[in-house]
């Protein structure tokens, strides 16, 4: 068995030039896998009506990994777009093989990418694993076609790698019975780490609260704003900095203004990871008011910076955040969230911060996840082959 296997990541979600911070957790998994294996990434999720022909191809080296992005032509009929994207993706996987990179394992990311990956595996005898991140399994937002795709992909891969046990349970609730192994998201502990030079300034009376969240309904941002309004009626010694963009950003900014929060809530939009890391290091604590989280990279990154947590008790968060790292509240409970924020405003310094970052490095670092993925790849590669069409 070769020491370094050829791993082809086929993913429906991946950062691109238009949205460079989208799905960075998939990129972090690819970087972890590349520590011990030869990795090529094929991103198949982008669509545009401006594509000439059926798809455009962009090939570049990112973080020493060959990265291929297919941007499919978006047709007026969504079913036609889906069919075209699927066929284009399957053909390009074969092209990668023909051009000299013969994958030992296809590592699909997100169930939609699992469909062409599984068919390629059946036709060539290639082993396939799939990582799933999508919270829609727990929230019940998948349509019938997506459920059919997911069940087809999950039921035909060699191993299913959900990022949390909660997500595994949600997938199994759809009748999927497979070989599961939990592999959580990665935090870059070279970037997200304690920095004494950026710690909160104890000489100022204004506490810094940070929220990093996509501006979409599932993040529960209106509840956070309502909680801040309750606190503002009692004290004015804090500022909430909100990083992130999304379809509801203008609506949330308008809500903040209507609640009279302009002086204590600041919207900064989407920011690069180094900026987020710096703000995490110098904030007193981070808040996340989500209605659901599959596995929050933001919370892991904050804890890696020794930054305490106030977050909703949803999804995988209770198993992710140890008691000494922060406070968890019921989702959508404005009064409980306000009480937790107030407690943290007065007590954030009392949390055993060094223990928080040590915990993260031991479970979520690139090196730890890289070793785990490498072990899985070799286990799958060495296992008896399934029967395939030839």
């Amino acid at each position: 068995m070769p020491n370094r296997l050829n791993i082809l990541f086929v993913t429906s979600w991946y950062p691109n030039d238009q949205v460079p911070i989208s799905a960075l957790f998939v990129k972090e998994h690819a970087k972890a896998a590349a520590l011990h294996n030869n990795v090529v990434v094929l991103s198949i999720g982008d669509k545009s009506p401006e594509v000439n022909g059926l798809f455009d191809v962009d090939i570049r080296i990112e973080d020493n990994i060959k990265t291929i992005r297919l941007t499919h032509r978006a047709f007026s009929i969504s079913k036609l777009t889906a069919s075209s994207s699927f066929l284009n993706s399957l053909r390009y996987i074969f092209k990668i093989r023909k051009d000299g990179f013969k994958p030992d394992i296809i590592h699909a990311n997100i169930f939609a990418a699992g469909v062409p990956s599984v068919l390629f595996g059946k036709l060539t005898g290639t082993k396939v694993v799939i990582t799933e991140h999508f919270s829609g399994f727990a929230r019940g937002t998948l349509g019938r076609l997506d459920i059919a795709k997911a069940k087809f992909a999950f039921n035909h891969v060699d191993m299913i790698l959900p990022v949390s046990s909660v997500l595994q349970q949600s997938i199994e609730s759809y009748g999927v019975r497979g070989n599961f192994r939990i592999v959580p998201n990665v935090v870059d502990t070279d970037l997200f780490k304690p920095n004494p030079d950026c710690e909160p300034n104890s000489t100022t009376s204004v506490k810094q609260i940070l929220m990093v969240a996509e501006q979409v309904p599932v993040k529960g941002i209106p509840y956070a704003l309502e909680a801040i309004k309750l606190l503002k009626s009692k004290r004015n010694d804090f500022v909430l900095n909100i990083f992130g963009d999304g379809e509801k950003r203008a609506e949330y900014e308008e809500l903040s203004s209507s609640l009279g929060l302009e002086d204590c809530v600041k919207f900064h939009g989407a920011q690069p990871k180094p900026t987020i890391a710096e703000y995490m290091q110098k904030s007193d604590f981070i808040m996340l008011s989500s209605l659901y989280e599959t596995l929050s990279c933001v919370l892991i990154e904050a804890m890696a910076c020794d930054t305490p947590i106030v977050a909703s008790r949803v999804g995988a968060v209770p198993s992710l955040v140890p008691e000494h790292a922060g406070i968890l509240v019921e989702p959508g409970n404005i009064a409980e969230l306000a009480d937790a924020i107030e407690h943290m405003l007065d007590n954030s310094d009392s949390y055993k911060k060094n223990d928080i970052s040590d915990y993260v490095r031991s479970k979520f670092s690139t090196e730890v996840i890289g070793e785990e993925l490498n072990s899985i790849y070799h286990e799958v590669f060495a296992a008896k082959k399934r029967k395939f069409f030839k």
Side-chain angles (χ1 to χ4, degrees):
M1 181 187 300
N3 289 327
R4 294 182 69 88
L5 299 175
N6 287 343
I7 311 297
L8 177 60
F9 266 62
V10 181
T11 178
S12 300
W13 300 350
Y14 210 70
N16 56 41
D17 291 340
Q18 288 69 45
V19 193
I21 63 171
S22 175
L24 278 168
F25 43 81
V26 180
K27 191 171 190 178
E28 293 298 333
H29 263 185
K31 289 163 61 177
L35 290 178
H36 304 287
N37 299 279
N38 308 315
V39 174
V40 171
V41 172
L42 174 63
S43 173
I44 64 173
D46 295 337
K47 299 177 179 63
S48 171
E50 300 178 359
V51 169
N52 294 320
L54 294 177
F55 60 90
D56 286 340
V57 182
D58 176 81
I59 303 175
R60 63 182 78 172
I61 303 297
E62 296 179 359
D63 298 298
N64 296 317
I65 298 173
K66 183 177 181 179
T67 304
I68 306 167
R69 290 180 177 83
L70 299 190
T71 301
H72 307 278
R73 182 180 177 186
F75 296 94
S76 57
I77 302 174
S78 59
K79 288 184 179 180
L80 185 58
T81 298
S83 298
S84 174
S85 299
F86 164 74
L87 291 173
N88 296 340
S89 302
L90 182 59
R91 289 172 184 147
Y92 210 89
I93 297 172
F94 274 100
K95 178 176 173 21
I96 291 171
R97 184 174 186 257
K98 182 180 179 181
D99 289 347
F101 187 83
K102 183 178 180 180
D104 297 303
I105 292 177
I106 300 283
H107 188 158
N109 280 260
I110 319 304
F111 67 91
V115 177
S117 300
V118 163
L119 287 179
F120 176 86
K122 283 187 174 292
L123 293 168
T124 63
T126 305
K127 301 293 184 67
V128 182
V129 301
I130 184 167
T131 290
E132 190 54 70
H133 302 264
F134 187 39
S135 65
F137 290 99
R139 294 186 291 119
T141 60
L142 279 75
R144 284 184 294 180
L145 180 58
D146 282 339
I147 291 173
K149 289 179 181 178
K151 292 178 75 171
F152 174 80
F154 292 140
N155 287 330
H156 291 88
V157 296
D158 294 273
M159 193 174 289
I160 306 167
L161 311 176
V163 295
S164 70
S165 59
V166 171
L167 182 55
Q168 175 179 335
Q169 293 164 11
S170 299
I171 292 171
E172 288 177 319
S173 72
Y174 286 82
V176 174
R177 298 292 178 265
N179 184 14
F180 284 90
R181 192 77 54 83
I182 307 298
V183 180
N185 287 328
V186 175
V187 59
D188 182 353
T189 52
D190 289 329
L191 177 62
F192 293 93
K193 60 185 178 182
N195 185 350
D197 296 332
C198 288
E199 286 184 353
N201 188 351
S202 60
T203 63
T204 178
S205 60
V206 179
K207 300 287 187 176
Q208 300 292 319
I209 309 170
L210 178 63
M211 173 182 281
V212 182
E214 191 177 0
Q215 310 289 286
V216 293
V218 75
K219 296 301 182 179
I221 294 172
Y223 299 107
L225 297 176
E226 293 285 357
I228 292 296
K229 181 185 177 183
L230 285 180
L231 283 176
K232 190 185 176 188
S233 67
K234 298 192 291 183
R235 57 197 294 172
N236 60 359
D237 60 341
F238 62 87
V239 171
L240 170 61
N241 295 294
I242 301 179
F243 285 8
D245 211 340
E247 62 188 62
K248 296 288 185 177
R249 180 180 172 186
E251 179 180 321
Y252 295 157
E253 289 184 354
E254 184 178 344
L255 174 60
S256 177
S257 178
S258 69
L259 294 173
L261 304 178
E262 297 99 325
D263 59 335
C264 63
V265 176
K266 309 297 182 185
F267 287 82
H268 297 266
Q271 298 293 331
K273 286 283 189 178
T275 301
I276 292 173
E278 181 180 348
Y279 266 79
M280 285 180 174
Q281 290 160 347
K282 68 183 182 181
S283 294
D284 290 275
F285 63 95
I286 189 168
M287 173 175 61
L288 203 62
S289 53
S290 302
L291 302 179
Y292 191 81
E293 288 288 344
T294 301
L295 185 75
S296 174
C297 292
V298 168
L299 295 184
I300 306 173
E301 291 164 350
M303 290 188 292
C305 297
D306 279 341
T307 304
I309 305 293
V310 172
S312 302
R313 190 182 295 108
V314 293
V317 172
S319 63
L320 183 70
V321 180
E323 186 175 347
H324 67 270
I327 305 170
L328 302 184
V329 302
E330 289 303 307
N333 190 321
I334 295 169
E336 188 179 0
L337 179 58
D339 288 344
I341 296 169
E342 184 164 29
H343 178 84
M344 191 62 79
L345 285 170
D346 296 329
N347 297 281
S348 61
D349 289 341
S350 68
Y351 284 81
K352 297 178 180 179
K353 295 185 174 184
N354 287 334
D355 289 345
I356 304 174
S357 58
D358 291 344
Y359 157 76
V360 171
R361 283 193 296 272
S362 70
K363 290 184 175 293
F364 306 104
S365 68
T366 303
E367 292 75 18
V368 168
I369 302 303
E371 290 283 357
E372 193 164 352
L373 287 174
N374 186 51
S375 176
I376 288 169
Y377 294 150
H378 280 81
E379 177 184 335
V380 169
F381 185 76
K384 184 177 179 180
K385 289 188 177 181
R386 298 165 293 160
K387 293 182 179 179
F388 292 98
F389 300 115
K390 296 297 184 182

